[in-house]
Amino acid sequence: MRIARFVPTGGDPAFGIVELAADEGEHPDTIAVITGDPVAAPVQYTGARHDLADVRLLSPVIPRSKVVGIGRNYAEHAAELGNEVPTDPLVFLKPNTSVIGHDEAIIRPSFCHELHYEGELAVVIGRICKDVPVERAQEVIFGFTVADDVTARDVQKGDGQWTRAKGSDTFCPLGPWMVTHLSVAEAQSLPITTRLDGQVVQRGNTREMVRPIPELISYISSFTTLLPGDVILTGTPAGVGPMEPGQRVEVEIDGIGTLSNTVAEA
């Protein structure tokens, strides 16, 4: 199931089930409106439908309290920036105010002169949990989505800690929707491709993670309670690099979808 959050023309934000046409061209992709927030409570179809092309997609999830990022979880990415893979997972936080949706603009702030893309798989938590055993990680996952862990690389180096570099407004694009039909095992073997103005700049696979999804959930929940709607960014493959105002960055994960955003100047 693909769950999106969207705004119809002249309407208010709502959630819906994305229905992709089996045959291209003959039938439009649609979105079936549902009641409530699917991460928080059971939902029902309202009977209303929209053509997907006629709505504006928003971030598919509004993190209740936090976005938890994992740094240097792909060995080749750690190496390309001259870093070692850390002994324990390297954890940082992005505030929920950094979250934007598909086709919204990433704003390069005036203090940043080196803005980087980082395509990633994101895990959406579906229930309150603490001290989750590795073997029970699947039970606390609601679904998966695509993320771009936007990073002000020069600020990251200068500040020494990552709050401004990774937590600034618009630095956490998520979308275009969440999928709930993937198991952890399936999510752990997905190709990731990032394109900048149509040119491939990152190509990896989630199987290359140093620490897999269940281990990350177990580690994070050992020190902080995870809430429904919290998001975990699982790390980025090698190939990160700069993006400039006016450029478009696309992150595609097979089996989920393609997240696309333009870059703009503050």
Side-chain angles (χ1 to χ4, degrees):
M1 183 179 292
R2 297 172 179 85
I3 301 175
R5 183 167 156 265
F6 69 99
V7 177
T9 303
D12 296 320
F15 284 92
I17 308 300
V18 176
E19 302 165 324
L20 299 180
D23 51 341
E24 277 188 42
E26 290 191 23
H27 302 285
D29 298 333
T30 58
I31 187 163
V33 184
I34 56 177
T35 59
D37 182 342
V39 179
V43 298
Q44 292 183 325
Y45 286 94
T46 67
R49 264 183 179 74
H50 303 277
D51 285 356
L52 192 58
D54 294 337
V55 305
R56 179 168 63 89
L57 294 175
L58 306 173
S59 167
V61 62
I62 308 172
R64 298 294 193 280
S65 64
K66 53 192 171 292
V67 176
V68 184
I70 302 295
R72 302 171 192 167
N73 198 32
Y74 287 72
E76 289 186 8
H77 166 60
E80 74 179 343
L81 296 181
N83 299 309
E84 299 289 334
V85 173
T87 303
D88 294 316
L90 178 57
V91 181
F92 59 91
L93 297 177
K94 294 169 88 91
N96 56 15
T97 49
S98 68
V99 173
I100 59 172
H102 175 76
D103 215 26
E104 292 188 65
I106 299 166
I107 306 299
R108 187 176 73 178
S110 58
F111 57 77
C112 171
H113 303 286
E114 190 181 353
L115 191 67
H116 278 206
Y117 52 80
E118 294 190 9
E120 310 199 4
L121 173 71
V123 181
V124 181
I125 298 298
R127 53 182 280 194
I128 298 174
C129 57
K130 181 75 165 66
D131 295 320
V132 179
V134 168
E135 63 273 14
R136 299 190 65 180
Q138 179 76 68
E139 299 174 26
V140 307
I141 296 173
F142 178 80
F144 301 92
T145 190
V146 183
D148 187 351
D149 177 22
V150 177
T151 303
R153 193 70 69 196
D154 53 340
V155 176
Q156 183 184 31
K157 296 171 184 175
D159 284 0
Q161 53 77 36
W162 297 359
T163 303
R164 280 201 310 161
K166 288 182 174 286
S168 294
D169 290 351
T170 76
F171 275 23
C172 190
L174 298 174
W177 40 67
M178 299 179 283
V179 300
T180 61
H181 55 270
L182 293 176
S183 67
V184 168
E186 291 169 325
Q188 204 66 76
S189 186
L190 298 176
I192 302 178
T193 304
T194 303
R195 293 180 291 271
L196 190 65
D197 287 341
Q199 296 294 117
V200 174
V201 289
Q202 283 186 290
R203 197 187 296 277
N205 193 292
T206 57
R207 72 169 68 98
E208 299 164 5
M209 290 182 193
V210 175
R211 295 176 181 84
I213 295 163
E215 188 176 329
L216 296 178
I217 290 174
S218 183
Y219 182 82
I220 294 165
S221 68
S222 73
F223 64 85
T224 187
T225 300
L226 291 169
L227 303 180
D230 281 354
V231 174
I232 297 173
L233 308 184
T234 57
T236 192
V240 300
M243 51 186 178
E244 299 291 334
Q247 293 189 297
R248 177 171 288 272
V249 59
E250 298 172 305
V251 183
E252 180 178 4
I253 300 182
D254 284 18
I256 301 180
T258 301
L259 171 67
S260 181
N261 301 89
T262 54
V263 183
E265 196 77 76

